[in-house]
Amino acid sequence: LMKNELALMAESASAYQKALEMNADYVHNEKFLLGFLRAERFDPKLAAERLTKFFESKLDLFGEELLVKDITQDDMDPEDVDALR
């Protein structure tokens, strides 16, 4: 059901669409999607909205090169690490 909701909103979710084109396996990973479903108490529409917002934020914060990669501390520069303290 969540994949159906994502298909409906794919045109308006440019960062999600970009991530999907870059690495569909990362975007459609069941464990990854389950986190969004759990966060929204298994409401597929809300989970799909959360997922698209996640990719928008990730694209804004980390850029296209890290869009379909799990972010680790190694991906951050010293200023980013200091901001987390």
Side-chain angles (χ1 to χ4, degrees):
L1 291 174
M2 183 176 170
K3 288 182 183 177
N4 292 341
E5 293 294 337
L6 287 166
L8 292 173
M9 60 177 55
E11 286 184 27
S12 63
S14 60
Y16 166 77
Q17 191 63 38
K18 184 181 292 283
L20 192 58
E21 291 167 5
M22 292 172 69
N23 188 343
D25 290 336
Y26 178 86
V27 175
H28 287 155
N29 178 285
E30 288 187 15
K31 288 182 181 179
F32 178 67
L33 295 177
L34 186 58
F36 292 91
L37 283 165
R38 284 181 179 154
E40 296 297 346
R41 298 180 183 218
F42 293 91
D43 182 314
K45 183 174 183 168
L46 293 177
E49 289 173 5
R50 181 180 286 264
L51 178 69
T52 58
K53 289 177 185 175
F54 166 79
F55 279 115
E56 291 292 337
S57 295
K58 192 171 181 184
L59 181 60
D60 289 343
L61 293 170
F62 299 103
E64 194 172 310
E65 106 181 14
L66 298 177
L67 187 60
V68 289
K69 180 183 181 299
D70 292 334
I71 306 297
T72 65
Q73 191 171 358
D74 292 335
D75 297 314
M76 297 180 185
D77 60 32
E79 289 177 5
D80 294 332
V81 175
D82 286 342
L84 293 174
R85 292 184 184 166

